[in-house]
């Protein structure tokens, strides 16, 4: 589809920006016309398609939503909103039924019941899967097929949203540009706009996320004045497969759930000395355990030979294919692993109806922060949160338009086709080095300074403005949180402070003001003061 400069497209009422699980599920739950905008063709460019483990739901006879909520709270390290945890766990069964009705071929036992797998920090078997490790691809394939059969769902592919359109303090859609042409903006108008733009992993040099996951949703909303929650909490997956690829392929946690162990290049099982649950300790603990092995100059490997062995190709076909593509046979060989930026617990602050603080804007999926994950997400709770809040947003927009506080007006700024590849690479390096698994005051201050300079030098680029805003929120909130909790570890404040066991709610303006005090570089300070 070709767009002329300043084209205006009418969404027909509701616009969903992002076509991963959250966006597509919300579209399917609606009754009326809806337009779905996606940066890439449906199914690609979405973390949802890459999900391997599955969806957490308390469906076993020995399980309950309350037990699931308690595990969610324990993993979240003291900052999970208890109400939201119970909300997602109690609505899980109904949403799994919805997905099954939409055609998702979940693994079933001989009696037609769900096969329930186990993952780290879950006290019960409660992961609903598809063909072992193919949950994401199978769920997305079913949803895409269902969406194509509904003529009320209009899909716009290959458009990058870069700015909220705001009139009279109300969000009225987004400005977007075609993938390869930043000079031809198009306005997509809507009465209700739902952001489903995914995560931030691509802001880091080593990530499991697709390149489209670069915090565009958080950045756009924050630049328009939205309240952002918990931006400092980023989860690093312990076992990305270390093949030097970008993004790094994932070796699902379910491998460790089935008994695979972690060893270093001396053959030592190092996690037993780190935590009583060894390889099944919380993700942040395992990720730091591996990080420290690597920092000490050793290598880390996943050893699935005894636990999985010959079953590997059938039990974990996706991971098997990744390994084989690098000439590694995981039935008989070790899999090299390294931690990678994986999931953002923070995001655009929303209430239990998925409403943001801006009039006319809802947010769902990974770009939103509902309070369900606290400082550390429990494995397989994110797909669950995406469908629970996708359904809730669909219900709410059906009856509501125009709540929340007025948004700040932003003029659709001129687009320039700038070669920003080097700036993006520099931003990603900074984020991994100084805003990654181990953070400190000195590193975070240096990162804020570097981000501000990159932002100033690339102010004409619409995508870079959003990436820089999100990076600044993550680094600024990490600097402000002077303790270690969940995914956020400060080497200069390595313990948790009970007085700080609460969520962060902030705005870009607040983070910029605090950052201006923290950085001493005059060029960076100037950029922090003028940028929007
Ligand atoms: C490798 C991997 C494995 C995972 N495994 C699991 C698992 O087993 N269980 C689990 O619960 N979670 C898992 N997760 C996390 C989970 O997949 C994500 O949190 C979830 O899929 C997010 O869904 P979403 O719809 O919010 O975002 P996504 O699925 O990422 O979709 C975002 C959409 O927004 C679009 N987009 C982005 N920027 C723009 C823009 N500027 N303009 C227009 N469109 C844009 C993208 O193209 C995409 O269509 C995994 C994540 C990864 C990366």
């Amino acid at each position: 589809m070709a767009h002329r400069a300043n084209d205006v497209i009418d969404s027909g009422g509701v616009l969903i920006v992002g076509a991963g699980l959250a966006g597509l599920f919300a579209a399917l739950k609606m009754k009326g016309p809806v337009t779905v905008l996606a940066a890439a063709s449906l199914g690609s460019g979405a973390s949802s398609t890459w999900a391997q483990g599955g969806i957490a739901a308390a469906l076993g006879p020995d399980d309950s939503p309350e037990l699931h909520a308690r595990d969610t709270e324990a993993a979240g390290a003291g900052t999970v909103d208890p109400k939201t945890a119970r909300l997602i766990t109690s609505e899980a069964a109904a949403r799994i039924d919805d997905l099954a009705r939409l055609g998702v071929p979940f693994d079933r036992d001989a009696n037609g019941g769900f096969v329930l797998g186990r993952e780290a920090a879950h006290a019960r078997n409660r992961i609903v899967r598809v063909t072992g490790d193919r949950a994401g691809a199978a769920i997305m394939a079913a949803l895409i097929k269902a969406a194509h059969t509904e003529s009320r769902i209009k899909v716009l592919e290959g458009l990058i949203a870069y700015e909220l359109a705001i009139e009279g303090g109300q969000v009225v859609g987004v400005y977007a540009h075609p993938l390869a042409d930043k000079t031809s903006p198009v306005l997509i108008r809507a009465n209700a706009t739902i952001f489903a733009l995914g995560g931030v992993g691509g802001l880091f040099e080593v990530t499991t996320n697709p390149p489209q996951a670069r915090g565009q949703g958080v950045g756009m909303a924050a630049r328009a004045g939205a309240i952002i929650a918990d931006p400092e909490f980023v989860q690093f997956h312990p076992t990305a497969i270390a093949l030097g690829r970008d993004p790094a392929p994932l070796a699902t946690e379910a491998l460790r759930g089935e008994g695979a162990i972690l060893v270093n290049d001396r053959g030592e099982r190092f996690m037993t000395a780190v935590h009583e649950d060894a390889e099944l300790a919380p993700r942040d603990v395992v990720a730091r355990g591996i990080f420290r092995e690597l920092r000490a100059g050793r290598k880390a490997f996943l050893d699935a030979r005894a636990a999985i062995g010959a079953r590997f190709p059938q039990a974990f076909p996706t991971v098997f294919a990744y390994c084989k593509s690098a000439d590694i046979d995981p039935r008989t060989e070790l899999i090299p692993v390294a931690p990678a930026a994986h999931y953002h617990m923070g995001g655009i602050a929303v209430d239990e109806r998925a409403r943001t603080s801006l009039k006319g804007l809802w947010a769902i999926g990974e770009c939103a922060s509902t309070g369900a994950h606290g400082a550390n997400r429990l494995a397989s709770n994110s797909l669950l949160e995406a469908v629970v809040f996708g359904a809730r947003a669909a219900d709410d927009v059906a009856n509501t338009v125009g709540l929340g506080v007025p948004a700040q007006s932003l003029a659709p700024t001129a687009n320039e086709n700038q070669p920003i590849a080097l700036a993006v690479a520099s931003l990603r390096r900074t984020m991994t080095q100084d805003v990654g698994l181990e953070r400190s005051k000195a590193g975070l201050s240096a990162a804020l300074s570097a981000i501000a300079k990159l932002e100033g030098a690339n102010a004409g680029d619409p995508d870079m403005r959003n990436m820089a805003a999100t990076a600044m929120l993550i680094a600024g909130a990490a600097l402000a949180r002077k303790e270690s909790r969940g995914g956020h570890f400060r080497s200069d404040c390595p313990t948790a402070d009970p007085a700080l066991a609460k969520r962060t709610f902030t705005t870009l303006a607040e983070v910029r003001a605090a950052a201006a005090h923290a950085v001493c570089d005059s060029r960076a300070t100037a950029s922090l003061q003028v940028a929007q």
Side-chain angles (χ1 to χ4, degrees):
M1 178 173 184
H3 298 277
R4 289 190 325 276
N6 299 322
D7 265 354
V8 178
I9 297 175
D10 186 351
S11 69
V14 180
L15 171 65
I16 298 178
V17 192
L21 177 59
L24 277 185
F25 190 76
L28 286 160
K29 287 295 275 184
M30 282 173 197
K31 304 272 180 285
V34 52
T35 296
V36 179
L37 176 74
S41 58
L42 282 193
S44 60
S47 291
S48 301
T49 308
W50 295 1
Q52 293 178 4
I55 308 186
L59 301 174
D62 60 346
D63 205 357
S64 70
E66 178 58 27
L67 282 179
H68 184 182
R70 281 188 216 155
D71 287 347
T72 301
E73 287 177 296
T79 61
V80 167
D81 179 341
K83 209 170 138 218
T84 312
R86 277 155 190 83
L87 187 154
I88 62 164
T89 59
S90 60
E91 292 179 15
R95 299 293 79 84
I96 298 291
D97 279 350
D98 286 344
L99 289 170
R101 264 197 302 274
L102 285 165
V104 177
F106 289 116
D107 291 348
R108 306 275 186 164
D109 60 24
N111 302 318
F114 294 106
V115 175
L116 300 173
R118 184 76 160 260
E119 283 185 344
H122 284 276
R124 297 284 186 276
N125 283 17
R126 61 166 76 101
I127 314 302
V128 183
R129 296 185 182 160
V130 185
T131 326
D133 64 3
R134 292 224 163 118
I139 292 169
M140 289 297 287
L143 265 52
I144 290 167
K145 193 168 165 206
H148 283 318
T149 64
E150 297 235 25
S151 56
R152 66 182 180 82
I153 301 179
K154 181 168 145 191
V155 178
L156 299 174
E157 292 171 329
L159 281 176
I160 311 288
Y162 66 90
E163 195 126 331
L164 277 168
I166 291 162
E167 285 174 9
Q170 161 100 24
V171 175
V172 293
V174 293
Y175 292 95
H177 63 74
L179 202 54
D181 182 6
K182 293 185 186 180
T183 61
S184 302
V186 54
L187 166 61
I188 301 130
R189 294 190 70 91
N191 298 330
T193 302
I194 303 179
F195 268 12
L197 283 152
V200 304
L203 290 177
F204 293 79
E205 196 170 33
V206 185
T207 182
T208 61
N209 291 190
Q212 286 78 4
R214 289 194 175 155
Q216 296 281 334
V218 171
M220 275 186 268
R223 291 177 51 244
I227 295 174
I228 305 300
D230 299 336
E232 67 273 37
F233 292 121
V234 177
Q235 185 174 77
F236 294 84
H237 198 290
T239 55
I241 307 178
L243 302 172
R245 290 192 196 150
D246 179 26
L250 185 74
T252 173
E253 195 137 43
L255 288 157
R256 282 175 284 129
E258 292 217 8
I261 57 169
L262 286 162
V263 294
N264 61 22
D265 46 4
R266 299 173 182 163
E268 295 159 346
R269 190 180 169 195
F270 53 87
M271 279 309 299
T272 46
V274 177
H275 193 278
E276 58 184 5
D277 292 333
E279 286 82 4
L280 295 181
R283 271 191 182 168
D284 60 299
V285 177
V286 182
R288 276 196 303 280
I290 296 174
F291 175 76
R292 286 171 185 164
E293 288 296 314
L294 301 180
R295 196 179 50 188
R298 293 186 284 275
K299 290 185 175 139
F301 300 93
L302 199 53
D303 183 352
R305 293 173 301 182
I308 299 160
R311 290 190 297 119
F312 211 115
Q314 287 73 41
F316 298 98
T318 305
V319 182
F320 189 73
Y322 287 142
C323 291
K324 289 302 277 180
S325 71
D327 284 334
I328 297 166
D329 185 339
R331 291 171 293 194
T332 54
E333 291 176 286
L334 302 176
I335 308 168
V337 290
H342 185 61
Y343 182 79
H344 196 203
M345 279 72 76
I348 308 162
V350 294
D351 67 11
E352 74 280 2
R353 292 164 297 190
R355 293 182 193 175
T356 72
S357 60
L358 301 181
K359 271 180 149 183
L361 182 69
W362 284 252
I364 53 178
E366 195 169 334
C367 71
S369 181
T370 65
H373 307 300
N376 202 12
R377 173 191 67 130
L378 182 65
S380 289
N381 264 358
S382 39
L383 294 180
L384 172 60
E385 185 204 45
V387 287
V388 167
F389 276 83
R392 286 178 156 257
D395 270 356
D396 199 46
V397 291
N399 306 315
T400 327
V401 175
L403 297 171
V405 300
Q408 288 167 25
S409 288
L410 293 176
T413 38
N415 290 324
E416 293 168 22
N417 269 336
Q418 289 193 356
I420 59 158
L422 285 177
V424 173
S426 174
L427 178 67
R428 296 180 72 196
R429 202 160 39 246
T430 295
M431 293 299 282
T432 287
Q433 267 168 20
D434 291 326
V435 197
L437 266 162
E438 290 204 1
R439 302 161 169 181
S440 67
K441 182 178 176 193
L444 291 165
S445 304
L448 282 166
S449 178
I451 296 164
K453 278 194 251 175
L454 283 169
E455 182 181 45
N458 298 277
D461 187 275
D463 305 327
M464 191 68 192
R465 285 197 293 266
N466 294 321
M467 284 185 254
T470 306
M472 193 162 297
L473 278 156
I474 298 170
L479 182 63
R481 189 174 280 278
K482 297 182 183 68
E483 62 155 359
S484 292
R485 182 177 297 280
H488 167 72
F489 183 83
R490 288 271 303 251
S491 54
D492 51 351
C493 324
T495 54
D497 177 350
L500 299 179
K502 48 190 174 216
R503 299 180 65 201
T504 299
F505 291 95
T506 190
T507 62
L508 186 57
E510 284 168 4
V511 166
R512 280 192 195 290
H517 284 292
V519 303
C520 304
D521 185 294
S522 57
R523 271 193 303 151
T525 310
S527 173
L528 282 164
Q529 282 160 354
V530 297
Q532 196 173 34

